[in-house]
Amino acid sequence: MNGGTEGIREDPVAGIDRNDGATVVRLAGELDLYNAHTVREALLACTEESPDRLVVDLSEVKFIDSTALGVLIEARTRMTNRRGFILAAPGLETRRALEISGLDKHFAVYESLDEALAAPV
């Protein structure tokens, strides 16, 4: 379909990088019921690789709903070392969702990707 509604919503998984035992999953746009399955598939595939550290870069996320937050929880439970599941660079809306849900107390959350990659696990 040319010129249709295809492509209006951006892909929620902007990229996956692997380096020195760390996997970085860059998420983007609005993470919600409609694309949570895509995020889930990507995160669970990464957890199956058993990285020492799985960093979810949230810097490009504009909105996250409870369905997508649930996906983050599920992915974290699949990690052998749950401390290796790290959230990086949440924007204001994403940080607010983490705080309202209480998940900011359960996840390691860092201000930047560099801090997340340097954090002890």
Side-chain angles (χ1 to χ4, degrees), residues 1-6:
M1 283 196 293
N2 289 349
T5 56
E6 285 292 309

Side-chain angles (χ1 to χ4, degrees), residues 22-56:
T23 299
V24 177
V25 179
R26 293 190 325 274
L27 300 180
E30 297 181 5
L31 308 182
D32 56 26
L33 175 66
Y34 301 103
N35 60 20
H37 64 282
T38 303
V39 174
R40 181 179 186 270
E41 288 169 11
L43 288 177
L44 295 187
C46 289
T47 63
E48 288 172 9
E49 297 168 8
S50 300
D52 296 330
R53 173 188 320 258
L54 177 56
V55 179
V56 182

